[in-house]
Each structure stands twice: as structure tokens, then as C-alpha cells.
Amino acid sequence: MRYEAPESLDAAVALLAGANGDARVLAGGTDLLVQMRSDILDPELIVDIKKIAETRRVTEEGGRWRIGAAVTGAELKENARLKAAWPGVVEAANLIGSTQIQGRATMGGNLCNGSPAADSVPALIAAGAVANVAGPKGRRDIPVEDVMLGPRKLSLTRGEFIVSFLLPARGKGTGDAYLRFIPRTEMDIAVVGAGVNLTVDGAGVITAARVGLGAVAARVLLVGPAAQAIVGSSLDEAAQRRLEAAAQAACQPIDDKRGTIEFRTEVAGVLTRRAALIALERARANR
Ligand SMILES: Cc1cc2nc3c(=O)[nH]c(=O)nc-3n(C[C@H](O)[C@H](O)[C@H](O)COP(=O)(O)OP(=O)(O)OC[C@H]3O[C@@H](n4cnc5c(N)ncnc54)[C@H](O)[C@@H]3O)c2cc1C
């Protein structure tokens, strides 16, 4: 196994594209190294992207936030302005693992590990985040919901990797939230994860919304009908019921020891409703 730690995007792309066998990006290593130690993966080449400045920065670009793909959860939490603008995204990233894991784990790795239960992904999808990708044909942007195709399957092509995520500009009356259900109090994989991002007008009516759902299908879902169920409402009881029903209708979960199909579907509705109520409270607070 060869380890490389290039300092430029071009060098990283050239290494990844030119590898003979399996080539893997290394960010925090909290998935990759575990999988290598468990003999699930045996890459010929590992390309550590942490020396590439663009992957390690958090910057504000005219109200939009660009987060490097190799920024850790611990670093996100330290950024008070980002946390104020996107509390749901930061809290989702901060649910990943323990304090030790937080010092390493990144949102790029969380997405590219290709788990339908990845915690930061429903929040990124709800936020409308776009992944910026570098590859042999140059740079391109992919909405986060289109990066993962199924368990361990990504839409990235050979030599491509995620450089950063761009979160849209935050106006007045916006708020987001992420909630997950796990059987233990911490250090567990989501049985369901729900991210909601919404905007309210001066009268408290929801004018825009996005809902991301994790661990209820083969990939993390953007649930359009759930958003449509609450736009135009002030999230009254009837709208909450519509939201629950739409979230549940999108679920195609597996049945396993951690949760039955019925349980996951039920919890998806409940968590989506609760996350929407938190997002609404946050949106009202910054009108
Ligand atoms: C004890 C423990 C607890 C955990 N708890 C949780 C949890 O609660 N919730 C949760 O969601 N996950 C959890 N995880 C899984 C893991 O920590 C997260 O998925 C983490 O975000 C992975 O990030 P990383 O930077 O460590 O990725 P890495 O391990 O470096 O990479 C993961 C995969 O993504 C690829 N990759 C990494 N970065 C990029 C990039 N920029 N572009 C393209 N490909 C890339 C790698 O090649 C690899 O295949 C846990 C893991 C452990 C060991």
C-alpha cells in the first residue's frame, strides 16, 4: 500500500486517476482505517487530502458558506458564526461518534463512505448544499442528494473527489435542525435521521422548505412531498400531520435487528415533525 499526501488539488487528482488498483481518499480515516483493519478494503493507494488548503478551510462567500471537505466536526463546532447560520448542519456533524472521532471525522468522509445512515448528510441535503468536486476533467458541482446512489455507491467518477460543500446564503426567517434516533444514548448508527430547513415570512408562514431523511432507504433522501406539505402553512396541527404522512410515505427501509420497517417508518414521521418544529422556532427567532 502506498501513502501520498499531496499539497495541491491537481496532484491529488493525478494520483487518484493514475492509480493501478483501488485508490482511496483519506480524510479523517474513521471509516477508511476501520474498513482496512477489518479487511473490507485493501487499497493500492491512499491519497491523504488534508494538506490541500482548500479542503481544510471554512469561508463565508457573500453570505454563503464554503466548508472544506476535510474540515472536522470539532472545527465546525468552534465556528460560532457558521453555527449561528446553520445550527442543524453543525449539530448533525457533531453527532458523529465521540469526542475523539469528532477530532478526525469530516463531512466529506461521512458522505463518501456511502452509508444511508450517515448523520451529516440529511442535514446537508435539507440545507441545499452543493458538493464541489475536482477530477481529471476539471471542477464540477453536484447537489449533495445526487452524490450517493446507494450503499457504498457514489456518482463520483475515477479520479474525482469532493473538495468542499457550499451552503446557500442565509436570509432572515430561516432555520434548520437535525434529529436522529439511536437505540443507545450515543455512539450508535442512526435508525432514522431527519433534517429540516425552512424559511418563514413576517406572518410566520413557511415560504420554502427542504427535508432530508436518512437510514430509511438505500440512500439518503431529499423528500420533496414533505416540504410541499408544509409550505404555505404555519406548521399547525394539520400541516404537521401532512408532514408526518409525507415523510413516512417516502420510507423504504430495511428490516433488521436495529429497527423493523414499521418502527423506522413511524419514527421517520415523528422525527421529521419534531425537527421541523425546532427549525421553525429558529426561523422565527431570527426574523
Ligand atoms: C467509533 C465510531 C463512531 C462513529 N459514529 C458515527 C455516527 O454517530 N454517525 C455517523 O454518521 N458516522 C459515524 N461513524 C463513521 C465515521 O466516523 C463517519 O462516517 C465520518 O464522518 C467519516 O469521515 P472521515 O473523514 O473519517 O472519513 P474517511 O474514513 O477518511 O473516509 C471515508 C470514505 O470516504 C472517502 N472519502 C473521504 N473524503 C473524501 C472526499 N473528500 N472525496 C471523496 N471521497 C472521500 C474515503 O476514501 C473513504 O472511502 C463512526 C465511526 C466510528 C469509528
Side-chain angles (χ1 to χ4, degrees):
M1 192 266 291
R2 191 157 56 104
Y3 169 88
E4 300 280 357
E7 293 181 15
S8 75
L9 289 172
D10 287 350
V13 167
L15 283 162
L16 289 166
N20 293 322
D22 186 21
R24 296 275 164 170
V25 168
L26 173 71
T30 61
D31 279 316
L32 183 63
L33 297 189
V34 174
Q35 288 161 16
M36 287 170 65
R37 284 286 176 104
S38 315
D39 293 329
I40 295 167
L41 291 177
D42 183 19
E44 179 253 329
L45 171 68
I46 285 181
V47 178
D48 186 339
I49 57 168
K50 291 191 292 297
K51 287 192 179 162
I52 305 170
E54 255 191 85
T55 72
R56 297 278 305 124
R57 284 199 288 257
V58 179
T59 49
E60 206 181 345
E61 300 174 357
R64 301 183 301 174
W65 284 90
R66 188 170 289 284
I67 303 173
V71 173
T72 68
E75 288 165 333
L76 292 177
K77 192 163 58 180
E78 294 295 310
N79 192 319
R81 292 187 54 236
L82 173 68
K83 213 169 151 186
W86 290 101
V89 170
V90 175
E91 69 201 2
N94 279 276
L95 280 173
I96 298 172
S98 57
T99 303
Q100 292 91 331
I101 297 292
Q102 282 293 305
R104 306 290 300 175
T106 67
M107 294 202 296
N110 199 223
L111 174 62
C112 294
N113 184 51
S115 163
D119 276 308
S120 67
V121 182
L124 283 172
I125 289 176
V130 171
N132 183 254
V133 171
K137 291 185 182 156
R139 305 283 283 264
R140 65 180 177 126
D141 289 322
I142 314 176
V144 168
E145 59 270 25
D146 295 335
V147 173
M148 190 186 162
L149 303 174
R152 313 266 175 243
K153 280 205 195 96
L154 306 180
S155 60
L156 302 183
T157 58
R158 188 176 171 80
E160 283 191 323
F161 70 99
I162 297 180
V163 179
S164 62
F165 297 99
L166 186 66
L167 303 183
R170 233 34 189 144
K172 292 262 175 229
T174 51
D176 72 327
Y178 174 77
L179 292 175
R180 72 172 181 185
F181 175 81
I182 55 173
R184 305 191 303 181
T185 50
E186 58 182 291
M187 293 284 283
D188 208 340
I189 299 163
V191 173
V192 177
V196 178
N197 174 35
L198 50 80
T199 308
V200 291
D201 65 14
V205 174
I206 297 170
T207 56
R210 283 174 68 96
V211 175
L213 267 182
V216 294
R219 60 196 275 191
V220 183
L221 303 174
L222 170 65
V223 189
Q228 285 151 22
I230 55 173
V231 169
S233 81
S234 51
L235 208 52
D236 51 70
E237 277 289 327
Q240 290 180 38
R241 298 294 153 234
R242 287 198 302 273
L243 175 63
E244 275 195 14
Q248 289 173 345
C251 295
Q252 293 181 308
I254 54 167
D255 206 342
D256 69 6
K257 63 180 178 188
R258 309 182 63 260
T260 61
I261 290 173
E262 293 75 18
F263 180 72
R264 285 178 200 259
T265 306
E266 173 73 22
V267 173
V270 173
L271 284 192
T272 305
R273 177 171 54 80
R274 290 184 187 167
L277 287 168
I278 297 169
L280 180 67
E281 201 179 303
R282 289 173 174 168
R284 284 184 176 151
N286 78 20
R287 259 184 298 170

